[in-house]
Every structure is written in structure tokens, then in C-alpha cells.
Amino acid sequence: MKARTIAVALVFCFAGVALCYADDANMGTWKLNEAKSKFSPGAGRNTMVVYEAAGDNIKVTVDGVDSDAKPAHNEWTGKFDGKDYPLTGDPASDMRSYKRVNDHTLALTNKKGDKVTMTGRIVVSADGKTRTVTTSGMDSKGKKVKNTAVYDKQ
């Protein structure tokens, strides 16, 4: 009987977490709309970004191409609380933080060690169909970049 009670409690906990994240405008799969985006010359591009629940955290998986047009992949798992969490797969950064500004806006910061390498703002449209990511900073080669990427929800 105890095992059944525990199992039911766990089901409700996971369902509650899933419902909380379902209301987050950032959650889901986003595909780059190159025609609406503007990149610094030679800048890499994140062509697909996925936000998903990972327990009580959020996992962000990014696929794209680097400045040499080679495949790029990075992953981050953490909370939108403004604290630094490890970032894997990005040669320019090893930590990332997201901070919720409002229901449709996030601020982000990437760091390599203690040095900020990139800052940005992510804004999801009111209808939830597009998101615009504006970033500025340095790429992995130390070159200044300023990009505005527009993504469509899949």
C-alpha cells in the first residue's frame, strides 16, 4: 500500500511540474527563420533550439553551425533565476544564466570563467509563434558580433 501511495504522489508531482512549464512561452522547439534574421559577417547560427523540462530545471539544447560553417551543438540545464549554470559544447563560453524579465522575455549572459562573453535578450511574441533573440559579445575567436535571430515555433 505504501508503494502505491508513493507512486501516486510521484505521478502528481511530475504532472504538476509539466503543467508549470507548459505555460512558459519559451518552451518547445524553435527553428531559425534566416530571412528575418540579421547576423554579423561570419557569425555562427543556431538553427534549432529546444527548451524542455528536465525535472525541476529547464534544458536548452542548441544545434547550428559555427563561424566556419561546421556543425555546432551546446546544452544548458538550469533555472531562469539569473544564476550561472554550466554550458557544454560552446568554445566561447562555459557558463550561462537566464533571468526572467516577464512572461515573454528572458535576459541571458554567457561567461568564460568570470568574463562575460555575450549578453542578450529573448522575446517571445504575444501569440507565442515567434521569438527574437538579440545578442552581442565575442565569438570563440574573439571577434565582436551582434546578431538578431528570429525563430518560428515548430
Side-chain angles (χ1 to χ4, degrees):
M1 188 62 133
K2 240 183 185 181
R4 181 185 233 178
T5 304
I6 291 171
V8 170
L10 285 173
V11 167
F12 281 112
C13 286
F14 288 124
V17 168
L19 285 174
C20 288
Y21 290 125
D23 289 339
D24 190 320
N26 289 284
M27 302 304 278
T29 300
W30 299 91
K31 184 177 179 183
L32 179 66
N33 183 329
E34 292 221 33
K36 294 182 179 178
S37 301
K38 295 179 183 178
F39 295 95
S40 294
R45 288 160 172 67
N46 297 332
T47 56
M48 189 73 67
V49 181
V50 178
Y51 287 76
E52 60 189 330
D56 65 344
N57 288 315
I58 297 167
K59 181 178 180 182
V60 181
T61 305
V62 179
D63 288 295
V65 294
D66 64 15
S67 60
D68 295 322
K70 294 180 181 171
H73 175 87
N74 69 68
E75 294 182 9
W76 175 92
T77 302
K79 298 181 186 325
F80 295 159
D81 59 7
K83 295 179 183 174
D84 292 338
Y85 293 91
L87 173 64
T88 59
D90 184 345
S93 306
D94 54 19
M95 302 294 279
R96 177 179 292 157
S97 67
Y98 288 92
K99 183 177 181 181
R100 187 173 305 284
V101 175
N102 60 43
D103 288 345
H104 288 266
T105 307
L106 297 171
L108 73 107
T109 302
N110 282 3
K111 293 180 180 177
K112 183 81 169 183
D114 290 333
K115 184 180 178 187
V116 172
T117 58
M118 188 209 34
T119 59
R121 193 168 190 85
I122 302 166
V123 180
V124 177
S125 63
D127 66 7
K129 293 181 180 180
T130 61
R131 73 193 267 273
T132 302
V133 181
T134 306
T135 57
S136 62
M138 301 287 223
D139 66 12
S140 62
K141 297 176 182 176
K143 180 181 168 188
K144 287 186 180 184
V145 292
K146 186 170 184 171
N147 302 313
T148 300
V150 178
Y151 295 85
D152 298 317
K153 187 131 190 194
Q154 301 301 292

